[in-house]
């Protein structure tokens, strides 16, 4: 049986310079969101008939990918039984949950008829990828919430309920993995219907696989990144064992993804586009070099050297790389066919930043009041 | 490929999903189906208020509101279709900019005041009476009773119904007004001046649907795809049947985009082009010989003293800028009839003279003048001359590209000559189709809202020629031709005007009609003269029935200044226009403008009832769909009210000047005037027992019949509404030629194609059996007719058939020679018997054909604002032309106020060639300025390959083209506020030699970057 | 029976009757526009403009041309927009029109993105916006009327009827006039076929048509991955349970071994 030692997280301060800025940004986001709801999308965004999807969708895609840490670590711990990662599981799940909640908030504001957000629950159209994504996301968010539940329940000492949840942990985890596999890939499938619109650098029938793959990849990077930052911010000891394990995984996944991507590009004859210059090829190169090649090299080297900076930097680069990828697929890759240059409006930025700031604040509050950075010991 | 179907998917998921799928449909209450919005609406038929194609429209109304308008599918001309304007009719009754209140502008005021209608009408009546009485001329210096006023002018009417136009004619003439003009002057006056003398009537010879029967459609000087879009329905049908489409236009137009052959020519040079084709046709013997010999005056011998030298016919007086026309006549035989040479060999016969005249129009000269390449010319000439073959027919479709030149009458004359040579007149699919412009400009012209005519194309009494009725009838009635019946028409008209007061004893009130004099500066009373006189302060009051001269008149700067010189302006309109708000125009100071303005809200076409005549002479009825918006009233109502008010004033005032024509006017249509009463009067009735006449053949010259317009007579032959033939909707067409004789009523006598005797040979056999209008069945000795014959075919008294040989000698019953004219005698066209090319008033080049630079008989106006650029002007080297767009209507109020149309063409622009743009460093879409001596106009540059410079005598000459629909007032004006975007700021007050139609289509300018 | 419209570009005179009549019938407001140096306006389809004529000038076979091209929803046989719509707001009706149920739409705009012709538009300026596009005048069709734009077309450039007959007509025109027409029916195969078909005398790419569109119906592309869902769910469930079972076993075995060792 596991026992849980609660570390002293009560000391995490709520009001620091950083958090005040976050609060300000979140407040700005809230005001912008209200404004957006009152006056509509046209007046608040730079979206148009030619660019129906913009920053928010790009961010949504990214958020889901980043939140891939949840299912990735659940799988590692419960299915593959890599016990040591249990230590970061809670953070992964919390990050996932907050990611999905942020995703939902943005989506709520993104759809033109926000207050019809519930329609897909009763109005079904199973031919739509988006329908599938919506359902998976809804269900998976529920799963994440349930997975996160014990942490809340602990605090209120509702051990009976905890027991019940523990009992269904494995089915829950499995459901989570299945749902995640489905929607992480389906977010890629969303773009399969655009063979004539999406730039050949990104359009591939393998988009769903690439999306899934990269979600796993960035999930790991997220946990690495979080471990480093939390250790700095919350003064928690960095578990080098876990980190080095994750790095090994990540090198493996990263290079796999990179090779997958290269083979796909070459196969489709899209290689020439990589070097033609221009916005698309530059963004593609950025995504690949910054997000994949450099991190692979850095992480690989770090396995032989005892230095943590490259690991931290790589994790950031991977995250940026995946966000870039999502933005490339949903915005940059569609620019040419739409003949329009899209750049998000201030409000689009305010809301996006506000939601992220809110997420970070929530993370801070939750780690302050709940036992997220727990330590697990074997009772035997 | 993965071919899993929906069903398999369901199977796979074990049917669980389909079960749940039922749920959403229960939960989503809102449904997909929108109601068919016109399901319960009331339907009313009407005719499009825009162009003279006359498309049928159905108006759907609910609770007194128009909720939908769409094409009338039963209507044979448009078969349910409508162009962009017709489709936008909905926005005329449903429009926040419509005038709903009477607006009054006091002298020097800078605001409108809303006023009571009754007050305003009585004020207007007072103004009119005062101006008339003060200026009245009872007797001219020569001692002739003229009973006219030259201080009041009336313009407009082409947008109104026939019955309204008739009342305008009646009231205006009763007042003695001679400055009496309308759109027809600016539009097709030159058509009447050319077609009348050539064939006998001035109208479009065939009709819209008939175009489908053509083997070759020659679109020259017009742009039907844009301006008569429904014509293209039938042009396309012809094309499907193998017809060639030819377009000759300085611009590559929407019509040109559908053509087989397009030739670009310099504006103002059609006479040279057609002259070249005539020459080509004669030289290569491509003409229809039998037709030419039998049906035209080709064989007539001409006065041996007739001459032509260096661009001038014999008898020219350069001081008077006019000809002595005595030598322009036929040689007469013993019976006083023209001598003929049936072999066409005599050098003095019309044919040989014509051949000689056109032999000068060599390919080389034509090419140099027009800028057309040799190859293009030959391609074009060959294609059209194909129709000279017996049985083939080609049609010419023309409009303003021809009519609006200083040489316009002769432009159209040359089309007429070509069509006669090729035997295309009177043929289905042939003819000269003068495409009329405004929805009822045909009707308003028939009603003679023109100074020189009275209804039915009879001359206005002239002081010099017609001091008495006897003199009038003597001078105006020829011995031959159908016009020998003129006294019947004229006397019946006087009876219609003055009823019982018109008696034989008082010459049927002949003296009540004003007699015209020589007009302003000897230039008559037509449009240009009218505005020159107004500019000169001679005209005190202007009554405007739905025109917008501030935008549509030439030389708008002069026009606008002229309006400032008026004491009062009475304007009936649907909108506030540039004209009624001229005192508030950019740059004007209202406090220095004394003109009093009365602006009355007029009912639109769907808010009233009446008939209108389309270009094919079809008189069609339109019904009232809704009540007029706000305080608006129909023009009929205003005319009725104004008459009543004037009569009251004149009756009351015992010092009134010559009140007789007004107080005695035969005018009893009820308080709320009944349009059917007016229509019946137009048709004519017997005076004694008020029985409607069958048609004009029943008219008499003894005062026993009254008829408001003889040519329309027959359209309302009975007392009841069901007798109204304008409202006929019978779609039978036995002929398969699209005649639809049971649909509406075509004047004269419901003939659909005039001069139809010529569709058959002298034996009465159709040249082409598939195109049989009339057919002499030699077995039964009968005429078998699809159309109403336009010749003597049945003896009116005995009812016996007249054999074909007889009518073959009189195929053109409206001309005294009874034959169509290659050669127009006696100065009926003032420039000469044959068309000759002269350069436009403003031209970059010298005339290459003769030393006569411009039309020798045009009047040159000389006010300070009348300026002219020199030949080969360095300052203004570019030729400009003005044209129309499908999406806009004329001077703009009718379309610039309709948001759906404004959206399509929101701003003024100028079309120019890429080469010119490059030379001037002009970018596409940027604002530029077009300037000349008379004014300037801002426009967006529209750089296009559709415009190209022309090689004129070795010199590249640039052409720019300006739509003329924009101004300074409306939902859109043409650009940013407080500027005037009217192209007519650049055009000149100069007109054609016969009718003084302004030369809107060519002038010089320069284009500048702003 | 599915309906179709044949657009014969050799007949269109660019009069824009269709553009106005569409607004009239559908009660759409005008836009405020400016002149950009061409006749074309409004610049693009919009929530209040379901159809517009594009004006294209160019040269083919050394001959200048001025083409007028009507654009509107193509009413694809297998519409990408319909398959994209997650709430079933868009539907392909058996008569041909792709209809829109405004009561369902959540405004996600995936349909707009999915449409290969970029047809659907959005009421951007409204707080509660809807998607807008040509309805094929389904309300008229169901009453036995022709679509408003087709009815109004003066030059019969638009012809409405049973799809099969319309397609035959297109083939007939091309075959009987090989010199007049390009031998291609645009829309016959594009994205699996569309209810609106175009024939032309000028090559389609010169007129700005999307000539590179795949012939395959686009919904197939996403459908291919959607149909995998059951397999993925089933497969993953089995695999994951298997894995879990194996690792669990291993752990238990390990434990047992440990105890055995310590015992032994
Ligand atoms: N949409 C629309 N339709 C209309 C009108 C409108 O305002 N808008 N107005 C109506 C009225 S009142 C009228 S009178 C008619 C006018 O109908 P159109 O005559 O067709 O009108 P325009 O565009 O003025 O002129 C026609 C063509 O003549 C060409 N042209 C100019 N000069 C010459 C020349 O010297 N020779 C030749 N061959 N061509 C020349 C011009 O380039 C132009 O393309 O249209 C009627 N229909
Ligand atoms: N540069 C240039 N100028 C031209 C031409 C050209 O080709 N080039 N063409 C000339 C030609 S052909 C013409 S016909 C003229 C036309 O010139 P106008 O006749 O002056 O022009 P419209 O725009 O037809 O006039 C429209 C007016 O009619 C009114 N109206 C419409 N229906 C009714 C009604 O039922 N009752 C009343 N009372 N009013 C009504 C409207 O309110 C509007 O004010 O312009 C000429 N001007
Ligand atoms: S403007 Fe002319 S062509 Fe157009 S609908 Fe009206 S009558 Fe027909
Ligand atoms: S054209 Fe676009 S909007 Fe129309 S049916 Fe096809 S996919 Fe849907
Ligand atoms: S915007 Fe509306 S119609 Fe389009 S996909 Fe989303 S829910 Fe369906
Ligand atoms: S079918 Fe109806 S909705 Fe579609 S473009 Fe035509 S008129 Fe507009
Ligand atoms: S109505 Fe017909 S001819 Fe006119 S623009 Fe539309 S498709 Fe072309
Ligand atoms: Mo006109």
């Amino acid at each position: 049986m596991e026992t849980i030692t609660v570390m002293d997280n009560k000391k995490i301060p709520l009001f620091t310079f950083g958090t005040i800025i976050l609060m300000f940004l979140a407040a700005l986001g809230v005001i912008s969101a209200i404004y957006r709801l009152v006056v509509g999308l046209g007046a608040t965004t730079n979206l148009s008939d030619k660019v129906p999807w913009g920053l928010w969708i790009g961010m949504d895609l990214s958020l889901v990918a980043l939140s891939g840490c949840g299912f990735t670590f659940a799988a590692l711990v419960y299915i593959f039984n890599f016990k040591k990662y249990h230590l970061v599981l809670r953070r992964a799940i919390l990050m996932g949950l907050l990611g999905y909640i942020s995703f939902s908030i943005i989506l709520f504001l993104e759809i033109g008829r926000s207050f019809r957000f519930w329609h897909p629950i009763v109005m079904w159209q199973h031919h739509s990828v988006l329908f599938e994504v919506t359902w998976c996301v809804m269900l998976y968010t529920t799963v994440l919430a349930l997975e996160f539940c014990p942490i809340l329940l602990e605090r209120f000492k509702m051990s009976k309920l905890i027991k019940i949840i523990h009992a269904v942990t494995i089915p829950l985890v499995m459901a989570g993995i299945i749902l995640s596999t489905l929607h992480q890939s389906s977010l890629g499938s969303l773009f399969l219907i655009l063979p004539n619109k999406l730039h050949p650098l990104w359009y591939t029938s393998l988009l769903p696989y690439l999306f899934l793959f990269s979600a796993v990849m960035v999930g790991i990077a997220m946990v690495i990144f979080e471990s480093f930052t939390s250790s700095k911010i919350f003064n928690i000891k960095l578990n080098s064992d876990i980190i080095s394990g994750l790095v090994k995984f990540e090198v493996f996944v990263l290079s796999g993804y990179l090779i997958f991507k290269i083979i796909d590009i070459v196969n489709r004859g899209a290689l020439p586009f990589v070097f033609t210059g221009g916005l698309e090829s530059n963004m593609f190169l950025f995504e690949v070099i910054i997000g994949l090649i450099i991190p692979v090299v850095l992480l690989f080297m770090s396995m032989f050297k005892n230095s943590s900076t490259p690991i931290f930097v790589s994790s950031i680069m991977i995250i940026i790389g995946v966000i870039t990828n999502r933005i490339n697929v949903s915005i940059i890759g569609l620019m040419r066919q739409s003949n329009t240059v899209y750049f998000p409006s201030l409000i689009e930025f305010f809301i996006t930043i506000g939601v992220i700031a809110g997420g970070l604040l929530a993370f801070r509050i939750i780690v302050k009041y709940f036992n997220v950075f727990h330590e697990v010991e074997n009772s035997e | 490929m993965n071919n899993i179907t929906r069903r398999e998917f369901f199977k796979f998921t074990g049917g669980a999903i389909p079960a749940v799928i039922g749920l959403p449909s229960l939960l989503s209450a809102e449904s997909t189906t929108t109601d068919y919005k016109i399901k319960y609406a009331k339907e009313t038929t009407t005719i499009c208020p825009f162009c003279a194609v006359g498309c049928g429209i159905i108006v759907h109304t609910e609770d007194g509101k128009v909720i939908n308008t769409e094409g009338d599918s039963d209507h044979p001309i448009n078969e349910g279709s409508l162009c962009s304007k017709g489709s936008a009719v909905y926005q005329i009754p449903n429009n926040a900019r419509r005038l709903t209140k009477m607006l009054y502008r006091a002298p020097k005021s800078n605001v409108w005041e809303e006023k009571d209608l009754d007050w305003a009408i009585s004020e207007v009546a007072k103004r009119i009476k005062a101006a008339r009485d003060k200026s009245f001329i009872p007797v001219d210096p020569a001692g002739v009773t003229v009973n006219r006023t030259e201080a009041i002018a009336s313009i407009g009417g082409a947008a109104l119904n026939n019955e309204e136009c008739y009342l305008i004619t009646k009231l205006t003439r009763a007042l003695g007004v001679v400055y009496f003009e309308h759109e027809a002057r600016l539009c097709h006056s030159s058509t009447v001046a050319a077609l009348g003398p050539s064939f006998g009537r001035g109208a479009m010879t065939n009709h819209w649907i008939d175009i489908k029967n053509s083997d070759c459609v020659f679109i020259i000087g017009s742009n039907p795809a844009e301006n008569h879009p429904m014509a293209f329905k039938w042009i396309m049908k012809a094309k499907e049947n193998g017809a060639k489409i030819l377009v000759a236009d300085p611009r590559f137009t929407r019509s040109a985009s559908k053509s087989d052959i397009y030739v670009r020519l310099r504006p103002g040079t059609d006479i040279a082009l057609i002259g070249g084709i005539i020459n080509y046709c004669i030289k290569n013997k491509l003409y229809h010989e039998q037709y030419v010999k039998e049906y035209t005056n080709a064989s007539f011998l001409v006065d041996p003293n007739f001459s032509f030298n260096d661009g001038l016919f014999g008898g020219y007086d350069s001081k008077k800028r006019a000809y002595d026309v005595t030598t322009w006549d036929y040689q007469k035989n013993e019976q006083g009839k023209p001598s003929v040479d049936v072999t066409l060999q005599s050098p003095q016969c019309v044919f040989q003279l014509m051949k000689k005249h056109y032999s000068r129009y060599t390919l080389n000269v034509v090419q140099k003048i027009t800028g057309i390449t040799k190859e293009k010319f030959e391609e074009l000439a060959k294609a059209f001359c194909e129709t000279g073959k017996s049985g083939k027919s080609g049609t010419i479709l023309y409009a303003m590209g021809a009519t609006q030149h200083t040489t316009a009458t002769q432009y159209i004359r040359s089309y007429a000559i070509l069509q006669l040579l090729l035997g295309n007149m009177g043929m289905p699919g042939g003819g000269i189709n003068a495409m009329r412009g405004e929805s009822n400009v045909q009707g308003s012209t028939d009603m003679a809202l023109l100074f020189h005519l009275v209804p039915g194309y009879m001359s206005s009494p002239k002081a010099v020629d017609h001091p008495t009725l006897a003199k009038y009838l003597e001078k105006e009635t020829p011995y031959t031709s159908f016009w020998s019946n003129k006294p019947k028409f004229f006397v019946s008209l006087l009876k219609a005007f003055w009823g019982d007061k018109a008696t034989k004893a008082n010459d049927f009130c002949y003296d009540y009609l004003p007699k015209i004099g020589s007009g302003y500066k000897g230039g008559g009373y037509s449009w240009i003269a009218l505005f020159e006189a107004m500019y000169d302060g001679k005209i005190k009051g202007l009554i405007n029935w739905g025109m917008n001269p501030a935008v549509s008149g030439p030389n708008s700067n002069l026009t606008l200044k002229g309006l400032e010189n008026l004491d009062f302006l009475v304007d009936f309109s649907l909108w506030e226009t540039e004209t009624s708000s001229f005192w508030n125009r950019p740059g004007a100071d209202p406090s220095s403008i004394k003109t009093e303005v009365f602006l009355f809200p007029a009912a639109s076409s769907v808010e009233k009832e009446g008939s209108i005549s389309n270009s094919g002479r079809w008189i069609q009825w339109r019904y009232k769909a809704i009540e007029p918006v706000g305080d608006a009233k129909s023009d009929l109502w205003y005319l009725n009210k104004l008459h009543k008010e004037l009569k009251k004033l004149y009756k009351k005032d015992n010092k009134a000047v010559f009140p007789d024509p007004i107080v005695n006017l035969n005018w009893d249509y009820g308080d709320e005037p009944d349009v059917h009463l007016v229509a019946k009067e137009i048709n004519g009735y017997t005076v004694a027992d008020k029985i409607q006449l069958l048609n004009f053949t029943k008219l008499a010259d003894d005062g026993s019949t009254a008829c408001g317009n003889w040519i329309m007579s027959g359209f309302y032959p009975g007392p009841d509404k069901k007798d109204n033939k304008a409202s006929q909707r019978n779609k039978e067409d036995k002929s398969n030629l699209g005649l639809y004789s049971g649909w509406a009523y075509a004047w004269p006598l419901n003939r659909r194609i005039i001069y139809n005797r010529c569709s058959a040979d002298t034996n009465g056999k159709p040249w082409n059996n598939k195109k049989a209008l009339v057919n002499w069945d030699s077995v039964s000795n009968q005429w078998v007719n699809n159309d109403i014959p336009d010749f003597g075919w049945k003896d009116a008294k005995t009812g016996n058939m007249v054999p074909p040989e007889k009518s073959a000698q009189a195929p053109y019953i409206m001309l005294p020679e009874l034959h169509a004219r290659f050669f127009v005698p006696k100065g009926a066209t003032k420039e000469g018997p044959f068309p000759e090319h002269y350069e436009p008033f403003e031209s970059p080049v010298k005339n290459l054909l003769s030393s006569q630079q411009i039309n020798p008989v045009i009047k040159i106006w000389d006010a300070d604002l009348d300026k002219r650029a020199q030949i080969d002007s360095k300052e203004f080297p570019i030729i400009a032309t003005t044209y129309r767009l499908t999406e806009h209507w004329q001077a703009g109020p009718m379309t610039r106020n309709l948001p759906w149309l404004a959206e399509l063409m929101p701003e003024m622009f100028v079309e120019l060639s890429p080469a010119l743009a490059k030379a001037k460093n002009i970018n596409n879409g940027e604002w530029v300025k077009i300037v000349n001596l008379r004014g300037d106009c801002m426009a967006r540059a529209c750089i296009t390959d559709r415009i190209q410079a022309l090689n004129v005598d070795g010199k590249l000459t640039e052409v720019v083209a300006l739509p003329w629909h924009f101004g300074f007032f409306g939902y859109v004006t043409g650009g940013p506020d407080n500027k005037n975007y009217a192209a007519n700021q650049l055009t000149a007050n100069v007109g054609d030699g016969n009718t003084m139609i302004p030369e809107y289509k060519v002038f010089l300018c320069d284009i500048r970057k702003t | 029976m599915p309906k179709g419209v044949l657009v014969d570009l050799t007949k269109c005179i660019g009069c824009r009757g269709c553009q106005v009549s569409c607004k009239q019938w559908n009660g759409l407001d005008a836009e405020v526009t400016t002149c950009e140096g061409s006749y074309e306006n409004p610049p693009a389809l919009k929530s209040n403009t379901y159809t517009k004529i594009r004006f294209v000038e160019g040269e083919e076979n050394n001959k200048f041309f001025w083409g007028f091209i009507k654009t509107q929803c193509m009413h694809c046989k297998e519409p990408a927009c319909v398959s994209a719509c997650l709430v079933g707001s868009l539907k392909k009706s058996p008569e041909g029109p792709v209809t829109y149920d405004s009561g369902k739409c959540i405004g996600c705009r995936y349909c707009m993105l999915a449409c290969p012709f970029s047809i659907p538009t959005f009421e951007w300026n409204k707080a509660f916006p809807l998607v807008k596009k040509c309805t094929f005048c389904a309300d008229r069709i169901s009453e036995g009327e022709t679509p408003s734009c087709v009815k109004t077309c003066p030059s019969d450039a638009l012809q409405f009827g049973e799809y099969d007959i319309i397609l035959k007509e297109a083939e007939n025109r091309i075959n009987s006039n090989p010199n007049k027409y390009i031998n291609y029916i645009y829309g016959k195969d594009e994205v699996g076929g569309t209810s609106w078909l175009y024939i032309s005398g000028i090559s389609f790419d010169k007129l700005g048509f999307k000539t590179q569109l795949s012939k395959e119906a686009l919904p197939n592309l996403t459908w291919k991955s959607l149909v995998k869902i059951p397999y993925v769910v089933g497969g993953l469930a089995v695999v994951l349970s298997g894995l879990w079972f194996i690792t669990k076993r291993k752990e238990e075995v390990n434990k047992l071994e440990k105890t055995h060792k310590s015992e032994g």
Side-chain angles (χ1 to χ4, degrees), chain C residues 85-87 89-90 100 105-111 131:
Chain C
C85 182
L86 72 168
V87 288
S89 177
L90 290 161
Y100 172 68
C105 175
I106 62 167
C108 69
R109 309 183 301 285
Y110 184 33
C111 51
V131 165

Side-chain angles (χ1 to χ4, degrees), chain B residues 47-57 77-78 81-89 208 224 226-231 437 439 886 889, chain C residues 152 154:
Chain B
I47 303 298
C48 177
F50 290 105
C51 88
V53 171
C55 296
I57 296 181
I77 295 177
N78 61 312
S81 306
L82 295 173
C83 74
S84 40
K85 293 179 302 304
S87 299
V89 160
W208 299 111
E226 310 211 28
N227 303 321
H228 302 91
M230 213 51 65
S439 59
T886 316
W889 182 250
Chain C
T152 218

Side-chain angles (χ1 to χ4, degrees), chain B residues 98-251:
Chain B
R98 269 291 293 280
L99 284 174
T100 54
K101 287 269 181 283
M102 191 279 154
L103 296 178
Y104 171 73
R105 185 251 177 188
K108 311 203 169 178
S109 159
N110 59 359
V111 287
W112 287 115
E113 300 161 50
E114 282 184 9
K115 291 280 185 189
D116 176 65
L117 269 188
D118 288 338
W119 173 86
I121 289 168
S122 78
E123 288 303 301
V124 164
K126 280 183 214 155
R127 302 291 185 287
I128 291 175
K129 179 171 183 293
R132 174 185 180 272
D133 289 0
K134 197 168 161 209
S135 64
F136 203 73
I137 311 173
V139 184
D140 75 359
V144 180
T145 305
V146 293
N147 286 336
R148 66 170 186 250
T149 166
E150 295 184 351
I152 299 174
S154 171
I155 58 170
L160 278 52
N161 291 341
N162 283 322
E163 294 71 24
E164 296 170 331
C165 291
Y166 175 66
L167 293 192
I168 295 179
T169 263
K170 200 168 173 177
L171 183 63
T172 309
R173 292 182 197 271
L175 286 168
V177 169
V178 287
Y179 280 113
F180 187 20
E181 286 285 293
H182 85 292
E183 288 91 333
R185 176 73 53 197
L186 309 176
C187 191
H188 270 289
S189 58
S190 45
T191 287
V192 183
L195 297 186
S198 302
F199 310 115
R201 301 187 188 95
M204 176 166 176
T205 59
N206 297 37
H207 61 101
W208 299 111
I209 301 170
D210 177 64
I211 301 171
K212 75 170 180 177
N213 300 317
S214 189
D215 298 301
C216 188
V217 180
F218 189 5
I219 298 170
I220 177 165
S222 69
N223 183 6
E226 310 211 28
N227 303 321
H228 302 91
M230 213 51 65
F232 246 83
K233 185 176 226 84
W234 305 105
I235 296 172
M236 277 302 176
K237 293 248 154 77
K239 195 173 179 182
E240 267 161 45
N241 298 333
K244 279 224 150 61
I245 314 298
L246 322 176
V247 171
D249 197 296
R251 309 178 304 119

Side-chain angles (χ1 to χ4, degrees), chain A residues 64-77:
Chain A
V64 170
L66 303 187
S67 312
C69 52
F71 87 99
T72 309
F73 280 84
L76 282 179
V77 173

Side-chain angles (χ1 to χ4, degrees), chain C residues 105-201:
Chain C
C105 175
I106 62 167
C108 69
R109 309 183 301 285
Y110 184 33
C111 51
M112 299 170 64
L113 197 72
C115 172
F117 305 99
S118 300
I119 295 299
T121 57
F122 200 58
E123 294 179 317
W124 293 102
N125 50 359
K126 294 200 177 158
F128 298 101
L130 294 171
V131 165
K132 294 277 168 173
K133 69 164 192 72
C134 157
T135 64
F136 206 157
C137 290
D139 48 351
R140 293 176 65 94
I141 292 184
S142 62
E143 295 285 324
E145 271 287 344
T146 50
S148 181
C149 57
V150 174
K151 178 177 177 186
T152 218
C153 178
S155 64
D156 299 334
L158 310 176
Q159 193 180 330
F160 169 79
E162 301 293 331
Y163 178 83
D164 295 342
I165 295 171
I166 286 297
L167 179 61
K168 273 231 179 67
E169 173 70 21
E171 283 162 354
N172 272 348
R173 285 190 201 174
I174 293 177
N175 293 337
S176 49
N177 275 299
N179 295 330
K180 186 171 161 196
Y181 292 101
I182 298 291
N183 187 13
Y184 192 81
I185 301 173
Y186 189 90
K188 187 175 170 218
D189 300 319
E190 272 69 20
V191 293
T194 58
S195 299
W196 284 56
L197 302 172
Y198 288 73
I199 54 177
S200 167

